[in-house]
């Protein structure tokens, strides 16, 4: 996966962008495209945002819409179908690419994990309609308190898997920093076996983030004190490296239902999505939270990661 | 083998359950009666183990009956996992289409579980009249046919059983439903469902009657045990409530366990189902923490004895396997003697000498340790103390005991283990208590004056609350007040929304449990919040017995959440004067 300075991001993207998708957020890094991508190279754009965060995101949304003459999509955090519908709508009304297949560029930095996975699934199903699908991710140092109060845990649209109630469950958690969220998922899924991963040294955004991630994971494991937990480290900067690792872990327990809970950064979320798409029996679950730390969620860093997605 | 290792009940064989389970069912008689029952209890309170014990395969393995047909009910365990039922695609459907499809899904899952149990019973019993099964197959196929299921095979393949074929048919119908649900992902338009939709009244109840008619079936209704039903999406809970509202208990009784997070008591028609009218309710925690009726200690003693026996420790008494710290026992004896002498000299507080001893012995011993700066040496070892710390949750006892055993095994190598030394008990139980509090508490304690309360999320508020309550109880235990042993509190008035949310989270996560007690005024009841005794070693509290309840005003609760140190000061200050006047000086 290619990394670059944020100011050099534009050079790492296609010269012409046919479809550009970005999610307006309360995080400053949602404005990366506003600051560093020339609007002239973007043929069509969609700006998504959640109505639940309207007051905190509308200024950023307006900036993006104005710069890219983008279509605005309002999503409902409580109804994941609104994400699927918005994606379907955007690609269906902007489909006048007759000469050659269009490319797609997605700023994945500030999509929620659920919306990102749904978008990814749509792109995977319709991959033959597109030339290249490129994502970029601007890294950030995230706050200690990202969210609180789990409202519900559900499968992500497009990743319901094929769960056999008679088989035991293997839960793979890519743990981030949200303790309550991870704990609630483990408690609700009640897995018979847990594989819990965190960013490895040299495979994370930086050493400080890696250390925080490791401490958090150890705390979570301590809570469960079970024999049936396996810890692993993984990449948070390379989609395909983690995807392959996940596939290896999925097959490590035969005869189990597999559920993945991606709770770390968006790069690892995409890896989870790709691994599950290649193994349709695998389910991805998502914990919807009641509150997000909209004031102090993250501080954008100066590195971007860019990748052309390959769907098998 | 570690005698105390905890495994998910779902993964245990009938033989393992039969050998490990201690019959606690007499504590919960309504669970066995032919009615719909909700069984509420936190994780680890033994709900799944109870359900599994009722299964005919386990009853046979436990030699409680010689044949399944002797049983008075046919218990079928159906674990509810969110991964099976919380499917976002399904939520796309509204109104009747949702309820039809979701009920079909639930009916199929229930029927598959019943059939699976039936198959294993037949395999175990070996005896069966082939014509009985053939007739059952014809009847169920007829039902499926009437319900619109197509492509039912005319004749069975060679060497195939009728029940396997029915399983395949049910699996096929469930797979059809899943394929349909998956199709809903990226379309707003309604998609027609071409396959049959099976419902509770027209398909499931007649199906159950056919199952009951089989000679291998137990002689009574099916107890369909939906384990952890709070994992169902709310609209599926509506459907289950609809099933509860049926007067079908001659054929099927629903035994529904929850972790106290069940979201609705209404059916899909909006009708309210009511306790005692439509169903009975059992709260495991309330039974096991009841002052007058709890058999919890005896239950844990039986469980531990049984586990030790299964692992080859014959005639081993739990009290001997988990001994107390002798030095501390002697120290406490001296203190008890002094308190008794003090009472005899007319300086007692309680009307009975034994009450004074119970109320003050631990406090005085802790105070002695504090005076020589050795409170950390207070020992929580001993079977009774470990049972108290497990807070009414069997799993808590077993988890910590399993750790003690493995630690000793690692040290001992191949040497025989005859008991768990007190040092190991204490090392594990202190660490186990600290883990529950997490390192975060220490950090918060140091930083609490520097953090802006507005930025704290609910989890941190919860930690602050627990910290404030624990510290206050600890200070009271080391005081010379007449009331010193606190493990619970009640609110003098209704708390604000924020405080109530934090209390609810504390209850949900098990840091606090609730029960109601009669108001002193004689009218109505108060909610009592009981601190999880697992926290006792961390806060140096006395986990034993039934201590006094501390009364807390809502504004103090808010203070506890936002500024624990200030709460501790305020709460203790309030009592200082009055406690001085109540207190009888004890010269110990």
């Amino acid at each position: 996966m290619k990394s670059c300075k944020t100011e050099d991001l534009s050079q790492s993207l296609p010269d012409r962008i046919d479809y550009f998708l970005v999610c307006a957020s309360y995080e400053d890094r949602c404005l990366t495209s506003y600051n560093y991508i020339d609007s002239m190279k973007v043929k069509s754009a969609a700006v998504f945002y959640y109505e639940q965060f309207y007051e905190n995101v509308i200024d950023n949304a307006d900036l993006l819409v104005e710069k890219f003459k983008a279509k605005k999509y309002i999503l409902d955090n409580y109804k994941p179908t609104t994400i699927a519908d918005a994606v379907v709508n955007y690609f269906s009304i902007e489909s006048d690419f007759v000469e050659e297949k269009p490319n797609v560029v997605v700023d994945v930095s500030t999509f929620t994990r659920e919306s990102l996975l749904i978008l990814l699934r749509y792109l995977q199903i319709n991959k033959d309609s597109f030339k290249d699908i490129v994502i970029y991710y601007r890294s950030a140092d995230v706050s200690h308190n990202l969210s609180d109060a789990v409202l519900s845990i559900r499968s992500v649209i497009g990743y319901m898997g094929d769960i056999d109630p008679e088989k035991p469950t293997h839960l793979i958690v890519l743990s981030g920093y949200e303790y309550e969220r991870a704990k609630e998922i483990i408690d609700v899924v009640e897995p018979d076996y847990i594989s819990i991963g965190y960013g490895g040294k040299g495979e994370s955004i930086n050493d400080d983030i890696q250390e925080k991630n490791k401490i958090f994971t150890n705390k979570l494991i301590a809570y469960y004190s079970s024999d049936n937990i396996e810890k692993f480290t993984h990449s948070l900067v390379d989609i395909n490296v983690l995807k392959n690792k996940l596939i290896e872990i999925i097959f490590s327990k035969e005869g189990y239902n597999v559920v993945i809970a991606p709770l770390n950064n968006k790069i690892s979320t995409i890896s989870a999505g790709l691994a599950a798409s290649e193994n349709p029996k695998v389910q991805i679950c998502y914990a919807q939270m009641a509150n997000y730390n909209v004031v102090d969620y993250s501080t954008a860093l100066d590195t971007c990661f860019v990748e052309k997605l390959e769907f098998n | 083998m570690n005698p105390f290792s905890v495994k998910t009940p779902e993964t245990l064989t009938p033989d393992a359950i039969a050998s490990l389970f201690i019959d606690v069912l007499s504590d919960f008689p309504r669970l066995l009666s032919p009615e719909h029952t909700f069984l509420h209890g936190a994780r680890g309170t033994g709900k799944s183990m109870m359900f599994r014990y009722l299964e005919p395969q386990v009853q046979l393995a436990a030699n409680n009956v010689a044949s399944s047909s002797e049983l008075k009910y046919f218990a079928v365990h159906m674990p509810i996992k969110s991964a099976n039922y919380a499917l976002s695609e399904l939520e796309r459907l509204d109104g009747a289409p949702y309820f039809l499809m979701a009920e079909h899904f639930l009916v199929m899952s229930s029927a598959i579980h019943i059939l699976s149990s039936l198959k294993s019973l037949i395999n175990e019993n070996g005896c069966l009249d082939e014509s009985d099964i053939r007739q059952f197959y014809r009847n169920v196929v007829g039902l499926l046919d009437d319900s619109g299921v197509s492509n039912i095979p005319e004749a069975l393949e060679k060497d195939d059983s009728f029940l396997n074929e029915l399983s395949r048919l049910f699996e096929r119908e469930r797979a059809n439903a899943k394929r349909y649900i998956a199709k809903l992902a990226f379309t707003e338009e309604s998609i027609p469902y071409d396959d049959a939709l099976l419902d509770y009244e027209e398909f499931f109840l007649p199906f159950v009657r056919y199952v009951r008619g089989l000679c291998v079936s137990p002689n009574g209704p099916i107890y369909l045990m939906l384990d952890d039903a709070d994992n169902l999406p709310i609209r599926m809970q509506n459907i289950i409530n609809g099933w509860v509202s049926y007067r079908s208990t001659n054929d099927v009784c629903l035994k529904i366990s929850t972790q106290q997070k069940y979201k609705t008591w209404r059916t899909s028609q909006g009708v309210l189902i009511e306790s005692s009218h439509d169903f009975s309710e059992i709260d495991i925690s309330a039974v096991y923490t009841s002052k007058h009726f709890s058999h919890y200690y005896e239950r844990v003693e039986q469980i531990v004895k049984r586990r030790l026996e299964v692992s080859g420790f014959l005639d081993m008494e739990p009290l001997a396997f988990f001994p107390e710290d002798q030095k501390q026992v002697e120290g406490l004896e001296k203190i008890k003697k002094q308190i008794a002498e003090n009472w005899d000299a007319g300086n007692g507080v309680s009307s009975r000498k034994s009450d004074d001893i119970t109320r003050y012995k631990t406090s005085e011993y802790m105070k002695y340790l504090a005076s020589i700066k050795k409170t950390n040496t207070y020992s929580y070892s001993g079977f009774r103390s470990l049972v108290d710390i497990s807070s009414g949750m069997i799993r808590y006892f077993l988890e910590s005991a399993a750790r003690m055993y493995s630690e000793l095994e690692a040290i001992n190598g191949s040497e025989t283990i005859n008991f768990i030394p007190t040092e190991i008990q204490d090392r594990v139980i202190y660490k186990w208590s600290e883990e529950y509090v997490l390192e975060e508490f220490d950090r918060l304690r140091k930083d609490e004056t520097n953090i802006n309360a507005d930025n704290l999320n609910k989890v941190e508020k919860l930690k602050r609350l627990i910290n404030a309550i624990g510290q206050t109880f600890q200070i009271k235990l080391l005081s010379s007040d007449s009331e010193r042993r606190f493990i619970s509190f009640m609110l003098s008035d209704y708390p604000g929304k924020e405080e109530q949310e934090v209390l609810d989270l504390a209850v949900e996560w098990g840091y606090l449990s609730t029960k109601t007690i009669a108001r002193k005024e004689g009218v109505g009841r108060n909610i009592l919040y009981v601190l999880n005794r697992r926290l006792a070693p961390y806060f140096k509290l006395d986990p034993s017995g039934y201590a006094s309840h501390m009364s807390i005003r809502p504004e103090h609760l808010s203070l506890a959440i936002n500024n624990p140190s200030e709460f501790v000061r305020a709460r203790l200050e309030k009592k200082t004067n009055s406690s001085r006047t109540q207190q009888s000086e004890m010269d110990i």
Side-chain angles (χ1 to χ4, degrees):
Chain A
M1 195 164 179
K2 189 179 165 187
S3 69
C4 62
K5 287 268 181 203
T6 308
E7 61 194 38
D8 301 328
L9 170 68
S10 192
Q11 294 155 37
S12 303
L13 299 175
D15 293 337
R16 192 192 77 196
I17 299 173
D18 295 318
Y19 289 116
F20 176 61
L21 296 92
V22 59
C23 188
S25 159
Y26 39 80
E27 291 183 81
D28 293 344
R29 57 178 164 162
C30 78
L31 293 179
T32 306
S33 56
Y34 179 82
N35 292 321
Y36 297 101
I37 296 178
D38 182 357
S39 63
M40 296 302 285
K41 73 191 275 180
V42 177
K43 189 170 176 200
S44 148
V47 173
F48 300 82
Y49 67 87
Y50 281 95
E51 62 175 297
Q52 282 81 4
F53 307 124
Y54 179 85
E55 283 181 15
N56 304 92
V57 305
I58 192 61
D59 291 346
N60 288 344
D62 286 344
L63 285 174
L64 288 162
V65 167
E66 196 183 325
K67 171 158 183 174
F68 296 111
K69 305 287 174 278
K71 186 160 171 50
K72 195 156 63 176
Y73 288 96
I74 304 167
L75 311 176
D76 181 345
N77 201 17
Y78 295 87
K79 286 188 181 169
T81 49
T82 58
I83 305 163
D85 294 342
V87 171
V88 171
N89 180 280
Y90 174 56
F91 285 106
S92 60
I93 61 164
E94 300 281 348
S95 56
D96 58 340
F97 298 94
V98 282
E99 287 174 14
E100 62 173 328
K101 286 182 181 176
N103 64 26
V104 180
V105 172
V106 186
D107 178 348
V108 300
S109 317
T110 49
F111 275 94
T112 63
R113 296 184 191 92
E114 185 178 41
S115 52
L116 176 57
L117 284 163
I118 293 171
L119 169 61
L120 186 73
R121 183 73 172 141
Y122 177 88
L123 293 171
Q124 188 256 334
I125 291 170
N126 297 284
K127 61 181 191 241
D128 294 337
S129 307
F130 305 113
K131 187 177 169 217
D132 293 328
I133 297 166
V134 178
I135 64 100
Y136 72 84
Y137 170 75
R138 182 164 181 189
S139 56
D141 193 359
V142 291
S143 152
H144 207 68
N145 307 313
L146 296 179
S147 61
D148 76 38
V150 176
L151 288 179
S152 70
I153 291 175
R154 58 194 179 223
S155 69
V156 176
I157 285 184
Y159 304 86
M160 64 183 258
D162 185 10
I163 303 294
D164 181 345
E166 309 233 332
K167 285 185 185 168
T169 301
H170 177 193
L171 175 67
I172 304 171
V173 183
L174 302 178
S175 74
Y177 310 95
E178 292 157 290
Y179 172 78
E180 185 190 1
R181 206 171 195 173
K183 181 181 175 297
E184 190 71 14
I185 286 178
I186 295 173
D187 287 352
V188 168
V189 173
E190 277 208 284
D192 301 276
Y193 195 84
I194 307 172
S195 297
I196 185 159
Y198 62 94
K201 215 161 181 131
E203 295 180 297
S204 297
I205 302 296
N206 62 41
D207 286 350
D208 285 348
I209 290 177
Q210 196 271 338
E211 192 56 29
K212 268 206 280 185
N213 197 190
K214 184 178 160 186
I215 291 169
F216 167 86
T217 306
N218 285 335
K219 268 192 211 172
L220 189 64
I221 288 172
Y223 193 90
Y224 285 94
S225 69
S226 165
D227 302 337
N228 300 333
I229 294 187
E230 174 202 39
K231 205 161 60 168
F232 66 97
T233 57
H234 60 78
S235 174
L236 284 169
V237 292
D238 193 308
I239 289 173
N240 291 315
V241 168
L242 175 55
K243 181 193 86 172
N244 292 333
K245 178 126 193 173
L246 285 172
I247 291 173
E248 201 180 289
I249 294 169
I250 289 166
F251 286 107
S252 68
K253 303 287 292 176
E254 268 185 50
Y256 278 70
N257 293 313
V258 181
V259 177
I260 305 180
L263 296 172
N264 212 312
N265 72 2
K266 306 298 158 54
I267 292 176
S268 60
T269 304
I270 293 172
S271 303
L274 294 177
S277 295
E278 287 184 25
N279 298 278
K281 289 195 167 188
V282 172
Q283 182 178 97
I284 297 185
C285 71
Y286 176 78
Q288 189 196 330
M289 310 301 286
N291 306 304
Y292 290 83
N293 180 358
V294 294
V295 179
D296 186 25
Y297 193 94
S298 73
T299 310
L301 298 175
D302 200 23
T303 310
C304 285
F305 294 86
V306 184
E307 177 81 358
K308 190 175 113 182
L309 296 182
E310 301 290 347
F311 295 107
N312 291 331
Chain B
M1 189 184 96
N2 189 324
F4 308 107
S5 64
V6 179
K7 287 185 179 156
T8 333
E10 285 105 74
T11 59
L12 294 174
T13 63
D15 283 337
I17 301 224
S19 67
L20 291 175
F21 186 75
I22 292 298
D23 192 348
V24 294
L25 297 165
S26 55
D27 296 341
F28 310 102
R30 300 203 76 164
L31 188 62
L32 301 180
S33 51
E35 59 187 343
H36 300 312
T37 312
F38 277 86
L39 175 69
H40 307 295
R43 281 183 83 232
T45 45
K47 301 183 297 294
S48 302
M49 199 69 169
M50 263 191 261
F51 275 0
R52 285 231 45 206
Y53 186 71
L54 298 180
E55 288 180 312
Q57 295 82 351
V58 180
Q59 291 291 309
L60 284 167
N63 293 319
N64 290 344
V65 285
S67 135
S68 53
S69 56
E70 291 173 27
L71 289 164
K72 291 185 181 143
Y73 47 82
F74 182 179
V76 178
H77 184 222
M78 180 167 159
I80 303 290
K81 306 264 188 174
S82 65
N84 294 329
Y85 301 98
L87 305 173
S88 292
E89 285 86 346
L90 187 56
E91 296 300 313
R92 213 182 242 296
L93 297 177
D94 279 325
Y98 174 88
F99 286 111
L100 288 169
M101 178 55 73
E103 180 163 80
H104 171 67
F105 206 66
L106 284 165
V107 162
M108 279 296 89
S109 297
S110 308
I112 287 168
H113 275 94
I114 293 172
L115 211 52
S116 166
S117 178
L118 202 54
K119 280 197 289 185
S120 82
L121 264 188
I122 288 169
N123 288 341
E124 277 171 33
N125 276 347
C127 72
L128 209 59
D129 180 0
E130 183 82 356
S131 64
D132 190 31
I133 292 284
R134 185 177 296 122
Q135 189 53 47
F136 172 72
Y137 174 78
R138 283 187 190 138
N139 288 337
V140 178
V141 160
L143 259 183
L144 289 167
D145 195 29
D146 290 347
S147 305
V149 174
S150 53
N151 299 324
I152 300 172
E154 291 286 324
L156 294 183
E157 289 168 31
K158 226 176 178 180
D159 297 321
D160 212 347
S161 82
F162 292 102
L163 294 184
N164 283 341
E165 183 54 35
L166 281 183
S167 288
R168 268 197 294 278
L169 282 170
F170 288 170
E171 289 288 0
R172 189 189 73 188
E173 292 307 306
R174 187 167 62 176
N176 287 345
K178 272 193 187 170
R179 264 195 301 279
Y180 172 80
I181 293 168
K183 276 191 221 164
L184 300 171
F186 291 103
T187 177
E188 274 183 280
E189 290 163 20
S190 60
I191 304 173
Y193 184 66
D194 297 326
D195 295 292
L197 288 167
L198 306 179
D199 75 354
Y200 187 73
E201 195 173 6
E202 302 293 327
F203 174 79
F204 189 69
L205 287 179
F207 167 73
V208 161
R209 287 182 201 118
Y210 289 135
V211 171
R212 288 191 56 211
L214 282 165
C215 64
V216 74
S217 288
N219 187 21
I222 287 188
Y223 284 6
L224 185 61
M225 302 180 295
L226 306 175
D227 198 358
D228 286 340
D230 12 27
N231 286 337
L232 290 170
I234 190 162
R235 289 191 289 174
M236 285 199 188
Q237 290 178 3
N238 291 141
I239 293 170
I240 296 299
N241 293 343
W243 295 5
V244 169
S245 72
Y246 275 89
R247 299 279 176 271
S248 60
T249 49
N250 281 341
D251 294 313
V252 58
C253 300
L254 298 162
K255 304 291 176 185
I256 302 167
S257 83
T258 81
Q259 295 181 23
Q260 285 157 327
K261 288 185 273 181
Y262 202 68
K263 297 182 200 79
T264 176
W265 299 102
R266 290 195 181 274
T267 68
S268 51
Q269 305 296 320
V271 178
L272 194 66
I273 54 165
E274 290 174 68
S275 182
S276 65
H277 181 252
D278 295 301
F279 59 91
S280 63
E281 275 185 289
I282 300 168
D283 183 338
I284 296 181
S285 313
V287 172
Y288 278 156
T289 53
S290 154
K291 186 173 181 175
H292 303 294
F293 308 109
S294 174
H295 300 295
Y296 181 65
Y297 177 85
E298 291 79 12
R299 295 303 181 215
V300 181
E301 192 177 33
Q302 290 166 327
I303 288 168
V304 170
K305 206 166 174 192
R306 174 72 62 84
R307 282 182 171 251
L308 286 167
E309 272 168 16
V310 169
S311 303
F313 296 91
L314 302 177
D315 298 323
M316 174 63 80
E317 288 300 323
L319 282 166
F321 200 77
F322 296 96
E324 288 180 84
D325 180 308
Q326 273 315 304
K327 202 174 155 196
Q328 182 164 302
V329 170
E330 285 160 21
L332 280 165
E333 278 307 317
K334 278 184 198 164
I335 300 259
K336 278 158 78 174
K337 207 173 152 199
Q338 286 170 328
I339 296 172
E341 284 168 7
N342 200 49
W343 193 89
D344 288 338
N347 296 325
V349 176
S350 318
S351 54
R352 286 186 302 185
K353 190 174 10 180
S354 59
D355 285 352
D356 261 15
I357 292 173
T358 309
R359 285 168 93 173
Y360 302 122
K361 66 172 195 241
T362 312
S363 162
E364 291 300 326
Y365 186 70
M366 284 270 202
K367 281 161 73 176
Y368 160 71
L369 291 179
S371 70
I372 56 170
K373 296 191 168 42
K374 282 193 170 174
T375 39
N376 281 341
T377 60
Y378 184 82
S379 175
Y380 287 91
S381 61
F383 181 67
R384 192 171 286 280
S385 170
L386 297 177
V387 173
D388 285 332
I389 290 170
S390 70
S391 251
M393 284 188 245
I394 309 269
R395 192 181 294 183
Y396 272 10
F397 181 92
L398 294 175
E399 272 183 8
S400 56
R403 281 203 209 177
M404 292 170 195
Y405 191 90
S406 0
E407 197 160 308
L408 183 59
E409 214 174 23
I411 298 167
N412 264 17
S414 54
E415 272 183 54
T416 315
I417 293 173
N418 295 315
F419 65 94
I420 308 282
T422 55
E423 312 83 68
I424 290 186
Q425 290 183 54
D426 275 318
R427 192 156 63 230
V428 170
I429 207 73
Y430 268 106
K431 186 163 188 295
W432 193 68
S433 179
E434 278 165 21
E435 277 172 11
Y436 196 46
V437 187
L438 302 176
E439 296 106 323
E440 202 72 2
F441 273 57
D442 280 337
R443 190 183 67 78
L444 283 167
R445 187 183 287 159
K446 287 169 195 154
D447 287 352
E448 65 199 5
T449 50
N450 302 324
I451 296 174
N452 177 357
D454 292 338
N455 290 335
L456 290 171
N457 66 21
K458 217 187 282 177
V459 180
E460 283 180 328
K461 286 174 184 167
L462 162 66
K463 288 173 183 169
R464 286 177 164 224
L465 171 70
I466 298 299
N467 197 34
I469 299 288
Q471 276 189 56
T472 308
F473 289 174
Q474 183 193 26
I475 292 170
K476 291 296 276 185
L477 188 62
L478 293 178
S479 75
S480 295
D481 295 354
S482 57
E483 291 294 355
R484 305 177 200 169
R485 290 168 65 237
F486 291 94
I487 202 76
S488 56
F489 65 92
M490 61 188 173
L491 297 175
S492 58
D493 206 343
Y494 292 106
K497 186 171 174 280
E498 183 200 12
E499 290 79 26
Q500 188 61 58
E501 280 177 0
V502 177
L503 284 172
D504 291 346
L505 189 66
V507 172
E508 194 182 319
W509 280 24
Y511 285 98
L512 298 174
S513 60
T514 56
K515 56 183 174 185
T516 60
I517 53 166
R519 284 176 191 269
K520 282 189 177 161
E521 298 84 2
V523 183
R525 297 184 72 78
N526 258 337
I527 294 179
L528 191 67
Y529 291 92
V530 187
L531 192 68
N532 192 319
R533 285 173 165 81
R534 180 173 171 179
L535 298 166
Y538 180 82
F539 289 116
K540 306 280 184 315
L541 304 177
D542 178 1
S544 67
Y546 293 88
S548 311
H549 320 309
M550 183 176 278
S551 177
I552 294 178
R553 294 208 303 268
E555 59 269 29
H556 278 160
L557 190 68
S558 172
L559 203 56
I561 289 166
N562 294 306
N563 192 339
S565 302
E566 194 51 43
F567 165 81
V568 175
R569 274 192 292 278
R571 188 60 192 75
L572 296 175
E573 197 174 67
K574 179 180 170 284
K575 279 280 170 192
T576 307
N577 294 333
S578 56
S579 62
R580 236 179 237 146
T581 53
Q582 284 171 16
Q583 177 199 336
S584 289
E585 287 300 323
M586 282 194 285
D587 184 21
I588 294 170

